[in-house]
Amino acid sequence: MSSRTTDDDPAGDGSAPTSSPPAGTAPPAGTGRNGEWFGGLDTLLRFQSFFGLVLVFLASVVFSPRGDDGEIIFLTSENLFNLVRAISEIGIIAIGLTFVILIGGIDLSVGSLLGLAAVGSAVLLTADDYGVLAAIAVVLLAGLVFGLLQGLAVALLRVQAFIVTLAGLQMARGLARLWSGGETVPISYGSGPGEAPLAFSLLGERTFNGIVPVPALIFAVLAVVAVAFLRGSAFSRHLYAVGGNEKAARISGVPVNRVKVVAFGVCGLCAALAGIVHAGQLNTGSPNAGISYELDGIAAVVVGGTSLAGGRGSMVGTIAGALLLGVLNNILALNTVDTDLQLIIKGLVIVAAAALQRLRPSR
């Protein structure tokens, strides 16, 4: 009896039971020493983001510049928390993208949607005199609706996700420029006209005695919720089923269209949250914010081991992938590596991660 990734082993981790060959038959290919080798390779590739993160972290410690007292700058608490703060927006976007990529889709609009959310936050708080909670609710709702509409186009109109979200990228950027008048909207705090409530500035502050940046805390909480959801919900099995074999999932009674719409809705919601965090950190809402963020988010998901073909991957891997790219960015910046060279290095890392996934034994 054969097993499928989507039903018997939705996480692709080999935890599903397998049947033994009948007596008197030759053992299947891949057993014995070869089977152990392939099993070890599968484990290595399944946790490639964790091994990569450890290697990059150790390399960062070795190659980190030193302070005047010999202190390793990379390991200072200030640098480490700044590192997590810096990846918080990309990490939030990557969490949303994981839902879409698991079903075999893609969302190119998340960077533009971040810009739209940042502009919306700034305009609502300063020009429209919204309270903090009301402004956040409106922006999150806008991101959710935008994502749901894209999901409907993919599921019901059967238009490829690449095309739909490419159009969404342009539309969200255009809406951001219309809403802001093509200008960056500054956020100043106070109680007078045109000033945002002081509470919104907390997004740029630190908590726990001024140690942990609030954006990093938001990313961490969202990451925990997303990991628990993908591990413990019935909906997560539907995500893996649709990504692994959509036709089989449909025959099995999985509500494929609903799964697709919800996945894109979650992705839009996460992009909007990242835009709110962006506006709070920089105290501005720029219609040009988030350019190329979709590429960084997709890179984090791919480096984390999620297959672009769908049906295989994990949220924990995505988080590790985001951290890996964040550590890499940080150590390159600490060593004042040329920005053009940084792009080349990151590109090579992404290609290597995707190539390693091709080596993973199929089940």
Side-chain angles (χ1 to χ4, degrees):
M1 181 177 64
S2 62
S3 61
R4 290 183 299 147
T5 298
T6 55
D7 294 330
D8 299 328
D9 188 10
D13 59 5
S15 57
T18 57
S19 58
S20 302
T25 62
T31 59
R33 291 186 178 180
N34 287 338
E36 293 175 0
W37 187 87
F38 280 112
L41 178 62
D42 183 51
T43 301
L44 176 64
L45 296 178
R46 214 162 15 101
F47 297 103
Q48 66 179 43
S49 56
F50 299 99
F51 291 123
L53 177 59
V54 171
L55 289 175
V56 172
F57 190 91
L58 292 177
S60 298
V61 173
V62 172
F63 294 106
S64 170
R66 264 59 172 176
D68 295 335
D69 57 353
E71 183 180 27
I72 300 175
I73 296 178
F74 174 77
L75 290 179
T76 61
S77 59
E78 180 72 16
N79 180 69
L80 291 177
F81 281 119
N82 281 336
L83 186 159
V84 180
R85 179 195 57 76
I87 68 168
S88 59
E89 295 172 27
I90 296 298
I92 292 171
I93 285 177
I95 288 173
L97 280 168
T98 302
F99 284 84
V100 171
I101 294 176
L102 278 175
I103 63 170
I106 198 73
D107 192 342
L108 302 178
S109 69
V110 289
S112 296
L113 190 51
L114 179 149
L116 177 61
V119 165
S121 300
V123 172
L124 291 175
L125 290 169
T126 59
D128 297 334
D129 294 326
Y130 273 61
V132 172
L133 293 181
I136 290 176
V138 169
V139 171
L140 289 178
L141 179 61
L144 174 63
V145 170
F146 196 95
L148 291 174
L149 289 175
Q150 292 190 126
L152 285 170
V154 172
L156 300 183
L157 301 181
R158 304 296 177 90
V159 182
Q160 290 184 349
F162 181 90
I163 302 299
V164 171
T165 59
L166 182 62
L169 179 154
Q170 301 291 340
M171 294 173 64
R173 190 67 67 190
L175 288 171
R177 290 174 179 169
L178 284 174
W179 204 352
S180 65
E183 302 290 337
T184 296
V185 181
I187 301 177
S188 57
Y189 298 100
S191 57
E195 293 181 326
L198 188 61
F200 193 72
S201 66
L202 293 176
L203 290 174
E205 302 295 333
R206 298 187 178 205
T207 187
F208 296 111
N209 295 321
I211 298 176
V212 182
V214 172
L217 185 62
I218 294 174
F219 171 48
V221 171
L222 182 63
V224 171
V225 172
V227 169
F229 180 80
L230 275 192
R231 285 189 172 181
S233 70
F235 181 78
S236 67
R237 294 185 66 85
H238 291 170
L239 288 172
Y240 286 105
V242 172
N245 190 324
E246 181 178 329
K247 183 177 180 180
R250 197 180 296 274
I251 294 173
S252 300
V254 174
V256 173
N257 289 343
R258 185 190 309 168
V259 170
K260 288 183 177 181
V261 172
V262 171
F264 277 94
V266 171
C267 191
L269 185 66
C270 288
L273 176 60
I276 294 170
V277 171
H278 183 88
Q281 287 197 91
L282 301 183
N283 295 324
T284 59
S286 171
N288 297 318
I291 291 178
S292 81
Y293 275 36
E294 61 275 3
L295 302 180
D296 290 335
I298 294 171
V301 177
V302 172
V303 170
T306 297
S307 171
L308 286 174
R312 175 178 284 177
S314 70
M315 192 63 68
V316 174
T318 291
I319 295 165
L323 289 172
L324 188 156
L325 292 176
V327 171
L328 184 62
N329 286 334
N330 182 264
I331 191 60
L332 292 176
L334 287 178
N335 284 284
T336 63
V337 175
D338 182 79
T339 53
D340 295 329
L341 183 57
Q342 290 186 36
L343 293 174
I344 294 173
I345 293 174
K346 288 189 289 184
L348 292 174
V349 170
I350 295 168
V351 171
L356 285 174
Q357 280 299 304
R358 299 286 295 176
L359 298 175
R360 185 174 175 185
S362 59
R363 293 187 180 275

